[in-house]
Structures are given as structure tokens and as C-alpha cells.
Amino acid sequence: MTETAQARIVFTRGVPPPESFPTEEFAECLDAALKKDPSVILQYGQQPGYGPLREELAKEYGVDVSNILVGNGSLQLQDLISAYMIRPGGVVYTEQPSFDRAIKTFRRRGARAVGIPLDDDGVNVERLREAVEAEKPAFVYLVPDFQNPAGATLSLEKRRQVVELAEEKDFWVIEDIPYRKLRYAGEDLPLLREISPNRVITMSSFSKLLSPGIRVGFVIAPEELIKAVTSLGEDTYLSPVLPTQAAVAEYLRRDWLAPNIERLKEVYRPRWEAMANAVRREFSGAQLFVPDGGFFVSMMLPEDAHTDNLVGRAKDQDLVLTPGAAFFPDPMTGEEVSGDRFVRLPFCAVPPEQIDEGVKRLASLV
Amino acid sequence: MTETAQARIVFTRGVPPPESFPTEEFAECLDAALKKDPSVILQYGQQPGYGPLREELAKEYGVDVSNILVGNGSLQLQDLISAYMIRPGGVVYTEQPSFDRAIKTFRRRGARAVGIPLDDDGVNVERLREAVEAEKPAFVYLVPDFQNPAGATLSLEKRRQVVELAEEKDFWVIEDIPYRKLRYAGEDLPLLREISPNRVITMSSFSKLLSPGIRVGFVIAPEELIKAVTSLGEDTYLSPVLPTQAAVAEYLRRDWLAPNIERLKEVYRPRWEAMANAVRREFSGAQLFVPDGGFFVSMMLPEDAHTDNLVGRAKDQDLVLTPGAAFFPDPMTGEEVSGDRFVRLPFCAVPPEQIDEGVKRLASLV
């Protein structure tokens, strides 16, 4: 027994809290969808995803249905896209830091994953240009809105530069946008695809907007790529799980998504404010990433911060952190990797008072 | 326009007919499950599958929950097991013929897929012994009950021999049993696992008993293998789709599966009888596989049968067949591959009068 019992505070996974799930509404859609179209939903088939859901997404993104593939969550789709696009020994560029599971997936499929430094306003485009000129990648993987793990958002100017560079140098950019619709302040910036779709693959999912357990993710890309990846998907899982896709289609058809997102923002905004205030107060000497949306605030601690065994020492104080190094792919030549000084602070599932207390505990450790 | 309009008859995929789906009951279970446990079902997690479903399966098969992995359909699980067990250039033995998608999966994961001749009473065990002695496989893949595509069932004596051989020679046997519970005559034979579980991996799914579109398949294996494959699954799809797994758990908990299987047998038995009678009448000179259950009757046509472009000529007669060769992996050295003479005849989704007419049309072509 420790002498003071203090609440355990968890700053690890970017997982939505249970109160975010629209259970009753989703159950209603699942039931309605199943009864409306059982001979399709309960059957094999629909390899590129459930037709009416593809239609809803095609309408929203202004593309043809043939440009849409819906699968069992976006990690599964990242895996299939990687299997299709990566040749063994090839390179994939990501932001530095980037989504740990994506880095792992690219490596498992045979790529070297190399990080391009991330500035406050998104990936460093000059460094990206140098990297692409040195070696053309299988693709460049970016999370332009409220990036995981850093929280950075790619500026409009840099969006234009990235798209121009991709067209000039003839490489693919994956824009992964699961957090995009969770904006608590400011205005939306255009998708890379909206600037010019020629070299852009867009990915997203309903994990952050409805539920992760339903595993509904999607890709928007040229038809040829969709066909090839669909065929790999068919070889891997035969057909996707259809009842949950059909429920999402019904949810969208009823126009229930926008009000649900408003409800989520009401849950997350006070947590975001609490985290932003706490890190600004406690970590004025760190490089802070405080985005206008999403799930994460992050910071790069000063070089003289006491970061040895930070995760272990935090645990002793009932504070659960993710080791920063997991988000760091290989560095570009000569680049310093500062993973040990990087701290990701997911706020979405933590009540405001715990956020404040957790950041104080963290400050006392470094 | 052809002068006589005749109905198109489809003898291709082993797909259950829409009338087989227990839509109302399944919808009720889906709704009940979702409302009972939303914070688990709608969330990330449960990587080895939904807990209560694993518990139901563990109870049924007399194993510990740690021996069960439930994933997004059994092809996905075959892919993960293959990724884990196959070393590039290694060999997997299957029955000759075998399930076409399984063969493709083993090859995609780097194996040579080599077929062991299939007799009326299942795989030829002497040939299997020779093969294993010549080269130890990553695993042996068998469909012991009402095999896909041939329909053959492994006899009790051979089940014992296969299990003994696996233990003697120290190799893994995958028994894939999706059709096992659809028995229209005779008595169940023991699972390989029931004879001795040490070297047996059991796989099955609810695709043939409830619905394929829900994609709920499972593996029963030693805990170490379950853990490794679960971890590969987590890397690939993060967590499985949970609402459909939870609905199956509820369906099992309510004891609704056994009556549903009885209902399915009432649908399929007349089709099975019609197919058995038709092939016995029309193809007395062929080697027939008429099983006591499942989805398929099959036959090996006589060597002098007219099989050139059989699939194309059948199509001209509005009869849709699967090319037999797709079910044939590489032969053992010196073995004749008779894929062109092999015809799979799925009966489950075809009304009896069409079955009779279809087999007559087929007989007129060879």
C-alpha cells in the first residue's frame, strides 16, 4: 500500500471514451439496414464495400463510386495498400514523428520507413523535396489534420506545395484524415485531394466519429488502384464485414453524422481546452503542438529536460504515457531523432480535472 | 435471340441461398448484444475476438478460452496462420483437389502447395506419409467433413492414421470444418482434435450456419499459436469487427443455432437428394463423390469424356460451372493432374428441379 492513494491517469492511446458512442441510434440503423437488405448484407460479396455506403461517400467527396473502397478499418486498408505499392527495400516517407502502427505496417510490408521533420505547420516541404530527389518513395504518408501523434496541421501553403511536388516528381501521397471532422476552432483547410487529386490517395474511417469496434474505414483513389487493392482484399478476407458498413450507410442517409459530430465536439472541446491550458502553463519551455482539433496535444521537451526512463518514472506516479520513440521512423541522414523527448498527450478520453492533474504530475518529473 | 429460352443454371460457388439466413432472429441478437455491452462492442480491443463468443466456443469444444481466436472470417485467419507458419519456399500439403482460395493463400504467403491424392474415404494416408517423409510441411491442410470441393469425408480409420502420423512425424494438421454440422445422413465422426489435439489446429466459421456477410470465423489451437496469430492480426487489422461477433455470441447463448441448423437441413436435404440421384443416373461411368452432408457433390469424369472447353460449352447452354483445375494444387512428383475432368456441383442454392435439368445438360456435353 502506498500512503497516498491517487487516481491513475492514462495519457496513452487515442481511444474515444464510451460516452462518445451513439449506441441507441447506431443500433437503430443496424436493425433498419439489416431488415432492408438482408440478402446482400448477410451474403458473400460486395468486395469493394457495401454499395450504398460507397455511394454516400462518393457523393460527399465528389468522386465516382469506382473510386471508393470500404474495408475492415483503415489499418487493414493501409496493410493492403502497402502490400500493393511497396517493393521490398523501397522507401516510404512519413512525418517525423508519425502514427506508430502505420510505420510498423510499412516496415512489415518490406519498406524502409523514413521520417521527414515535422514543423508547427506540418511536414517540412524542403526536406521532403530533398528526400524525394534522393530516392523516389512508394508513397508519402501524411496525416494533414491534427496529426497523430503530434497534433500538427499542414498549412494551406504547404498543402499546395506538397501536391505540386507530388505532381512534379510523380509520387503518391496518402492523406490519412481520421480526425479532420473533429475541429474545435478555426476553419477547415482544403484536402490535398481538393487542391488536385491526381497523385493523392485519401483514407479515413468512422472510428473517431462513430465507433472503432465497427471497423469501417475507406480509401478514395483512382479506379485502377481501387481495383487492385480490392482484389488483394478479396484474396485476404474474401469480403468485408457487411452489417456494420450497412449501418453506417443508414446513419449517413439519415443525416445523423453531422449532429453526432457536434455532440462529440461538446464532449471533447473542454478536454482540449484543459490540455492546452495545462501544457502552456506547465511546459512553457517546451516546443508545444496545440492543434485546433483531433485527439492529441504533444510536445518536444527541451534538450536539458530529465527524460531518462520518463515512462517508468511516470508509471510510479500513476501516470501512464506512451514511449515517444515508437512514433519515430528512421531519421533522414544526419537527422537527430528526439523520440525520448517527445510526449503525446491524448485528451479525448480524460476528464478535464484529470488532465490538469496529469500534466502537473508530468511537469514534476522532467 | 436464341430460339428456345431456357433458365440459366448456376453450379459454381458454394454460397448459401438468401432463404437460409435467419434475418429476424439475427437482427434481434445484434440489437440485444449491442445494447447489453456497447462500451466493449463499439470500442477498440478484444483482439483475440469478443470474449463471450470465445467462451461459448471454448465450452462447445472443451478447450480453454486462451485456445480460441475469432477473426473476420476464416480466410483472414488462414492468411494470418499462413503468414505465421510458412517460411518462404516451404511446402504445404492439401488434399488433391482442395479449396481453391486456401491454395491461393498458401502460395501468396510463399509456400509451394502440393496435393495429396484424395480417395472416396479422404486423403490417401500412404501418399501423405511418403510426402511428409520426403519433406516436412509447414502444415497439412484438410477439410475432413464433406470436403470442398470434392465432398469426400475422411473415414474414422484414416482420421486415426492422420493424427498418429502427425504426432509421429511432428507436423501440424489444420482441420477446416465449415460444413461439418450440415449432415443429412449418417453419424458424426470424431474431430481430429477429439482423437488427439496435440498437433491439430481446428478452424471453422459461421458462414454456412448463419451468414457469410457477418464474417465470423475461428481457430482452436495451442495458446502459444493463438497468441502469435492474434498479434499478427492486431498488426493487420487492429481489432476484429465486434458487433457481428457479439450477435453470434448472443445467438449461441440463446441456443438458437441447433434449431437453425435443423431448418437449414430441411432446405438443403432435398437439393442434396436431387443432386445425388441426378449424377447417379446421368454419370454412372464417372467417379462420384456423394457425401452425407455439406454443399457439394463432385465427380471425376472418365478419361475418355469430352472435357475440352467444358466450361465454355456449358456456358453456351446456360449452365455455369467452375473450371475444375482451380482446385488442383501442384501434383506430387509423377502424379497425373486431372483438373479438367473434375466437376464440382454445389447444390445448396439450386432448387431441385433446376438441379435435375442442370445435370442433364451437363451429361449432354461430355
Side-chain angles (χ1 to χ4, degrees):
Chain A
M1 291 280 281
T2 52
E3 50 198 283
T4 51
Q6 59 180 3
R8 191 158 158 272
I9 297 177
V10 180
F11 286 158
T12 47
R13 290 183 63 198
V15 166
E19 65 268 28
S20 73
F21 304 141
T23 306
E24 289 290 331
E25 292 174 334
F26 190 75
E28 199 178 320
C29 290
L30 199 44
D31 194 62
L34 195 58
K35 286 173 177 164
K36 199 193 290 185
D37 198 12
S39 64
V40 170
I41 293 170
L42 294 177
Q43 187 58 283
Y44 289 113
Q46 309 273 305
Q47 284 81 2
Y50 183 58
L53 178 54
R54 296 171 74 212
E55 283 161 26
E56 289 288 339
L57 292 168
K59 208 163 47 179
E60 175 179 352
Y61 288 92
V63 297
D64 190 78
V65 170
S66 61
N67 299 121
I68 307 264
L69 165 62
V70 190
N72 298 330
S74 62
L75 192 70
Q76 172 82 75
L77 294 169
Q78 281 177 19
D79 183 57
L80 295 173
I81 289 171
S82 298
Y84 177 62
M85 297 182 78
I86 293 170
R87 296 292 156 265
V91 69
V92 167
Y93 297 124
T94 74
E95 292 136 336
Q96 177 81 299
S98 183
F99 176 32
D100 50 347
R101 288 193 181 273
I103 296 169
K104 204 172 167 187
T105 298
F106 306 149
R107 286 180 172 157
R108 190 163 35 78
R109 288 300 189 173
R112 287 169 296 124
V114 172
I116 310 293
L118 183 68
D119 304 325
D120 291 359
D121 59 348
V123 70
N124 184 315
V125 182
E126 279 317 301
R127 302 300 300 273
L128 179 60
R129 173 181 286 274
E130 286 169 30
V132 168
E133 284 174 352
E135 184 177 356
K136 190 170 157 173
F139 51 82
V140 173
Y141 173 80
L142 301 178
V143 184
D145 295 295
F146 322 131
Q147 199 242 16
N148 179 9
T153 291
L154 191 62
S155 69
L156 176 57
E157 181 55 24
K158 282 190 168 179
R159 283 171 197 245
R160 291 194 179 119
Q161 290 169 356
V162 167
V163 169
E164 277 168 25
L165 186 64
E167 297 194 345
E168 179 194 334
K169 300 289 180 186
D170 203 34
F171 63 87
W172 289 102
V173 180
I174 297 181
E175 57 173 348
D176 191 7
I177 55 167
Y179 309 101
R180 178 175 170 85
K181 292 185 177 178
L182 294 171
R183 176 177 278 280
Y184 316 125
E187 297 290 325
D188 280 348
L189 295 173
L191 293 173
L192 301 187
R193 130 168 335 274
E194 288 168 336
I195 295 170
S196 174
N198 299 327
R199 302 298 297 177
V200 175
I201 297 167
T202 305
M203 303 197 62
S204 192
S205 99
F206 291 92
S207 292
K208 311 300 187 285
L209 307 179
L210 270 176
S211 143
I214 60 175
R215 312 304 302 122
V216 179
F218 59 91
V219 187
I220 311 169
E223 186 176 354
E224 187 186 307
L225 192 145
I226 294 293
K227 275 189 177 163
V229 177
T230 298
S231 169
L232 275 182
E234 183 174 351
D235 286 349
T236 307
Y237 52 68
L238 209 47
S239 20
V241 181
L242 292 173
T244 45
Q245 292 195 7
V248 174
E250 183 68 18
Y251 200 88
L252 295 179
R253 204 188 58 76
R254 294 182 181 198
D255 286 325
W256 285 0
L257 188 63
N260 192 57
I261 290 173
E262 287 312 307
R263 186 180 64 81
L264 293 178
K265 288 183 187 176
E266 293 313 307
V267 175
Y268 297 148
R269 190 179 282 112
R271 298 173 186 198
W272 164 70
E273 284 169 350
M275 185 63 89
N277 292 338
V279 295
R280 283 179 180 133
R281 188 185 62 231
E282 302 289 339
F283 288 93
S284 55
Q287 182 191 6
L288 302 178
F289 291 93
V290 179
D292 283 342
F295 274 20
F296 311 106
V297 161
S298 77
M299 55 190 175
M300 189 62 82
L301 296 170
E303 291 190 22
D304 60 356
H306 175 32
T307 58
D308 291 352
N309 187 28
L310 180 58
V311 171
R313 288 185 295 118
K315 197 177 168 197
D316 293 341
Q317 296 297 318
D318 296 310
L319 177 66
V320 190
L321 301 176
T322 304
F327 301 108
F328 284 67
D330 298 336
M332 292 175 67
T333 315
E335 197 69 32
E336 179 215 10
V337 177
S338 26
D340 291 342
R341 292 194 287 120
F342 177 78
V343 183
R344 182 178 80 163
L345 295 167
F347 52 80
C348 56
V350 190
E353 59 283 6
Q354 281 203 2
I355 287 174
D356 211 59
E357 167 63 21
V359 173
K360 274 184 197 155
R361 263 183 229 173
L362 180 60
S364 75
L365 294 169
V366 300
Chain B
M1 291 282 281
T2 53
E3 50 197 283
T4 51
Q6 60 180 0
R8 189 158 161 272
I9 297 176
V10 180
F11 285 159
T12 45
R13 289 182 66 197
V15 166
E19 66 267 28
S20 73
F21 303 141
T23 305
E24 289 290 331
E25 290 174 335
F26 190 74
E28 199 179 318
C29 290
L30 199 43
D31 194 62
L34 195 57
K35 286 173 178 166
K36 199 192 290 184
D37 198 11
S39 65
V40 170
I41 293 169
L42 294 177
Q43 187 58 285
Y44 289 112
Q46 308 272 305
Q47 283 80 1
Y50 184 58
L53 178 54
R54 295 171 74 212
E55 282 161 25
E56 289 288 339
L57 291 168
K59 207 164 45 180
E60 175 178 352
Y61 288 92
V63 297
D64 189 77
V65 169
S66 62
N67 298 121
I68 306 264
L69 166 61
V70 190
N72 298 328
S74 62
L75 192 68
Q76 172 82 73
L77 294 169
Q78 281 177 20
D79 183 58
L80 295 174
I81 289 172
S82 297
Y84 177 62
M85 297 182 78
I86 293 170
R87 295 293 155 266
V91 70
V92 167
Y93 298 123
T94 74
E95 291 136 337
Q96 178 80 295
S98 182
F99 176 31
D100 51 347
R101 288 192 182 273
I103 295 169
K104 206 172 167 186
T105 297
F106 305 150
R107 285 180 173 155
R108 191 163 34 77
R109 289 298 189 173
R112 287 169 297 123
V114 172
I116 308 295
L118 183 67
D119 305 325
D120 291 359
D121 59 348
V123 70
N124 185 314
V125 182
E126 278 318 299
R127 301 300 299 273
L128 179 61
R129 173 182 286 274
E130 285 168 32
V132 169
E133 284 174 352
E135 183 177 356
K136 189 170 159 174
F139 51 82
V140 173
Y141 174 80
L142 301 178
V143 185
D145 294 295
F146 323 130
Q147 198 243 17
N148 180 8
T153 291
L154 191 63
S155 68
L156 177 57
E157 181 55 25
K158 281 191 169 180
R159 284 173 195 244
R160 291 192 180 122
Q161 290 169 356
V162 167
V163 169
E164 276 167 26
L165 185 63
E167 297 193 346
E168 179 194 334
K169 300 290 180 186
D170 202 33
F171 63 87
W172 289 102
V173 180
I174 297 180
E175 59 172 346
D176 191 8
I177 55 168
Y179 310 102
R180 178 176 170 87
K181 292 185 177 176
L182 295 170
R183 176 177 279 279
Y184 315 126
E187 297 290 326
D188 280 348
L189 295 173
L191 292 173
L192 301 188
R193 126 167 341 271
E194 287 168 337
I195 296 169
S196 174
N198 299 327
R199 301 300 295 177
V200 175
I201 297 167
T202 305
M203 303 195 61
S204 193
S205 97
F206 291 92
S207 292
K208 310 300 188 287
L209 307 178
L210 269 177
S211 144
I214 61 175
R215 314 302 303 120
V216 178
F218 59 93
V219 187
I220 311 168
E223 185 176 353
E224 186 186 308
L225 192 146
I226 293 293
K227 275 189 179 164
V229 176
T230 298
S231 169
L232 275 181
E234 183 174 351
D235 286 349
T236 307
Y237 52 67
L238 209 48
S239 21
V241 182
L242 292 173
T244 45
Q245 291 195 8
V248 174
E250 183 67 19
Y251 200 88
L252 295 179
R253 203 188 56 78
R254 294 182 181 197
D255 286 325
W256 285 359
L257 187 63
N260 192 56
I261 290 172
E262 287 312 308
R263 186 180 64 81
L264 294 178
K265 288 184 186 176
E266 293 314 307
V267 175
Y268 298 149
R269 190 179 282 110
R271 300 173 185 199
W272 165 69
E273 284 169 350
M275 185 62 89
N277 292 338
V279 296
R280 283 180 178 132
R281 188 185 64 231
E282 302 289 339
F283 288 94
S284 55
Q287 182 192 7
L288 301 178
F289 291 93
V290 179
D292 284 342
F295 275 20
F296 311 107
V297 161
S298 77
M299 55 190 175
M300 189 63 81
L301 296 170
E303 289 190 23
D304 60 355
H306 175 31
T307 58
D308 292 352
N309 187 28
L310 179 59
V311 172
R313 289 185 293 118
K315 197 178 168 194
D316 293 342
Q317 297 296 318
D318 296 310
L319 177 67
V320 190
L321 301 176
T322 303
F327 301 108
F328 283 68
D330 299 336
M332 291 175 67
T333 315
E335 197 69 33
E336 179 215 11
V337 177
S338 26
D340 291 343
R341 293 194 285 120
F342 178 77
V343 183
R344 182 179 80 163
L345 296 167
F347 52 80
C348 54
V350 190
E353 59 283 6
Q354 281 203 2
I355 288 174
D356 211 59
E357 167 62 20
V359 174
K360 276 184 195 155
R361 264 184 228 172
L362 180 60
S364 74
L365 294 168
V366 300

